[in-house]
Amino acid sequence: MAFPRYQFGAEPANAGPLAQPLTFRRSGRVAKNRLYKSPMAEGLASWSPKIPSERGVPTEELIELYKRWGEGENNWGLIATGNVDIEFDSLASPGDMVITPECPFEGERFEQFKQLATVTKAHGSLLVAQVSHPGRQVQARVNSTALSASDVQLEPKLGMTFGKPHAASKAELSRVVEGFAHAAEYLHKAGFDGMELHAAHGYLLSQFLSRTTNKRDDEYGPQTIESRMRLISEITHAVKARVPADFILGAKLNSVEFQDGGVTPEEAKELCKVLEELELDFVELSGGTLEDLGLEHRKESTKKREGFFLEWAETITKALGEDRKIRTYIVGGLRSVGAMVKALDVVDGVALGRPATAEPRLAHDIIKGKVQGALRPVEMFETNFGAGMGLAQSQISQISQGKEPIRGGDGQVAQTFGADMGAWYQQLVLDGEKMEFIRAVQYSGPQVPYGTEEAVKA
């Protein structure tokens, strides 16, 4: 059964530009094409509600998931993991992978990270880990106190409440720097090609960049671009001191924040210039925070171009110039091959999140000319962020269990999934503060084994 796909214009687009390799100038590493499997929270690492040190070990399910994303000669040029947190008690989400400064370069955790790297890279993809600290965005049920730039409380969002933040001390910031540096060395020794610093979406590093959350009056305060970037700069120098020169170092950064005091496109230009001066390999341009996710088209012009943040990204890349040394990726909203190719007039590569959970083979199918766009889900998943993310999380879970991801464009599937999601939410409410129920919605309808011919052809 054929399902609807996104289409850009009436004529088929030539995917050739997306198949071109991309060289990262600092590290010298080469991504085999311009398609980037963007970070997505997997929720599949080991979890213990009561014993923090047992959290965050890559499971066999996680390894199965990344094996599928890594399969094929024409698969993703660059693959990123979801958040790898640097503290057991400060997680972006329960079920994240974790590497703390106390984690040794041996043992079960290390061996599982090594296995994940091996299977992901088996067919030539480059693998980076998105390393993160949630700061004030840690759920209160995980940690009632939160580290942040300042003591600005995050109000309840998306059914979650958050820890009470305090302004990080110098000693706490030193541990943050050490956390990122140790994670980089750990990942390198485990076989990863690099790491991406998560400095977007309201996480700790972005809390220092935004005036809404940074009220400090010391050298980390919001007074200048340099002071706002100081923590990222210290992390970058510490990472480079621990890994070889060919270890890829990138960052995810908001090109815009849709709130008073948030990062503006003009400021984002200056922030990216500092990242280039720090000699990062790439920046993934995104936008929004939990206060305003930004995952919608604000103008008719952005709707036509598909990318949520492409207009602001263009402001940044023009400021950096054609001879820029830092590579740029855009994430958010791009769905058709034609729009992706047009986006390469602005940026160097295209990052895809939810389309990659619906179709792990999407990069291959685009580059081989088999499809003109990602599968188009029904309206419920396309316009409702909660439903769309719930579907993506469930698809991740299905792939990890050796099944084909369900098709969000099938009305019957959507109806069954809606009921499943309702039952899942009831269980989540009943779980409350116990944190024993953390996994994704489990689909109750028919499913087929991964690789089933009919699913591959869909």
Side-chain angles (χ1 to χ4, degrees), residues 5-80:
R5 291 185 178 273
Y6 292 90
Q7 175 82 29
F8 186 82
E11 297 298 321
N14 176 11
L18 295 169
Q20 297 304 305
L22 180 64
T23 300
F24 299 112
R25 294 189 178 181
R26 185 196 68 85
S27 65
R29 305 299 296 276
V30 181
K32 61 184 179 181
N33 60 52
R34 303 302 179 97
L35 294 173
Y36 177 21
K37 200 294 293 177
S38 187
M40 290 284 291
E42 311 97 352
L44 291 170
S46 67
W47 173 252
S48 170
K50 295 182 179 179
I51 306 175
S53 63
E54 295 182 358
R55 299 170 180 172
V57 178
T59 58
E60 294 303 316
E61 289 80 11
L62 254 175
I63 292 168
E64 172 71 13
L65 171 69
Y66 279 90
K67 180 178 78 171
R68 297 309 184 187
W69 273 323
E71 283 179 334
E73 179 184 355
N74 295 297
N75 66 336
W76 309 92
L78 184 64
I79 296 174

Side-chain angles (χ1 to χ4, degrees), residues 316-333:
I316 293 168
T317 55
K318 282 183 176 178
L320 291 172
E322 291 185 3
D323 60 345
R324 61 184 180 269
K325 294 181 180 179
I326 191 169
R327 298 305 191 186
T328 54
Y329 286 92
I330 186 73
V331 68

Side-chain angles (χ1 to χ4, degrees), residues 39 174 182 205 209 225 262 271 273 303 319 342 404 406 413 433:
S174 293
H182 177 77
L205 300 187
L209 302 180
I225 290 294
L271 296 173
K273 287 180 180 178
K303 188 174 183 178
K342 288 290 290 181
E404 282 290 333
I406 57 175
V413 166
E433 303 298 310

Side-chain angles (χ1 to χ4, degrees), residues 254-276:
N254 279 353
S255 59
V256 64
E257 290 178 356
F258 304 99
Q259 55 183 327
D260 292 337
V263 172
T264 66
E266 286 299 312
E267 290 171 331
K269 285 195 309 188
E270 299 305 313
L271 296 173
C272 286
K273 287 180 180 178
V274 176
L275 293 179
E276 185 169 49

Side-chain angles (χ1 to χ4, degrees), residues 123-338:
H123 295 267
S125 295
L126 296 174
L127 173 63
V128 298
Q130 179 176 261
V131 181
S132 180
H133 190 299
R136 70 172 190 152
Q137 289 187 177
V138 65
Q139 293 182 49
R141 64 180 185 154
V142 175
N143 197 330
S144 61
T145 62
L147 189 73
S148 186
S150 302
D151 61 352
V152 181
Q153 180 69 48
L154 179 60
E155 297 303 315
K157 300 288 179 184
L158 302 175
M160 298 179 289
T161 58
F162 303 94
K164 180 176 175 55
H166 67 273
S169 68
K170 300 293 177 60
E172 288 173 321
L173 291 180
S174 293
R175 180 169 172 88
V176 169
V177 173
E178 172 59 21
F180 279 92
H182 177 77
E185 184 178 5
Y186 190 102
L187 291 162
H188 165 65
K189 290 180 182 297
F192 281 64
D193 298 300
M195 68 186 287
E196 178 182 75
L197 308 177
H198 198 340
H201 301 169
Y203 288 91
L204 179 64
L205 300 187
S206 69
Q207 289 162 30
F208 280 83
L209 302 180
S210 175
R211 290 185 302 276
T212 61
T213 45
N214 189 345
K215 308 295 184 182
R216 303 173 74 100
D217 58 8
D218 63 4
E219 65 267 37
Y220 296 94
Q223 300 88 349
T224 66
I225 290 294
E226 288 72 21
S227 60
R228 291 156 75 177
M229 285 287 290
R230 190 174 306 280
L231 181 57
I232 293 176
S233 178
E234 290 178 355
I235 289 169
T236 300
H237 291 304
V239 166
K240 288 183 178 180
R242 301 277 274 273
V243 295
D246 64 355
F247 187 79
I248 298 168
L249 183 56
K252 178 179 283 184
L253 192 73
N254 279 353
S255 59
V256 64
E257 290 178 356
F258 304 99
Q259 55 183 327
D260 292 337
V263 172
T264 66
E266 286 299 312
E267 290 171 331
K269 285 195 309 188
E270 299 305 313
L271 296 173
C272 286
K273 287 180 180 178
V274 176
L275 293 179
E276 185 169 49
E277 291 168 2
L278 289 169
E279 296 186 319
L280 267 68
D281 284 294
F282 73 90
V283 59
E284 181 186 4
L285 296 170
S286 187
T289 64
L290 277 180
E291 284 93 342
D292 189 329
L293 299 170
L295 299 178
E296 60 186 56
H297 296 289
R298 305 277 169 152
K299 300 179 181 179
E300 187 62 28
S301 59
T302 63
K303 188 174 183 178
K304 289 179 180 178
R305 298 172 79 181
E306 292 187 12
F308 297 136
F309 312 113
L310 195 56
E311 179 178 337
W312 296 286
E314 190 166 18
T315 300
I316 293 168
T317 55
K318 282 183 176 178
L320 291 172
E322 291 185 3
D323 60 345
R324 61 184 180 269
K325 294 181 180 179
I326 191 169
R327 298 305 191 186
T328 54
Y329 286 92
I330 186 73
V331 68
L334 288 167
R335 297 292 183 265
S336 70
V337 173

Side-chain angles (χ1 to χ4, degrees), residues 1-3 361 404 407 448-449 451-458:
M1 178 179 178
F3 294 101
R361 313 171 189 85
E404 282 290 333
R407 300 308 191 201
V448 298
T452 300
E453 184 177 1
E454 290 76 12
V456 173
K457 289 180 177 179

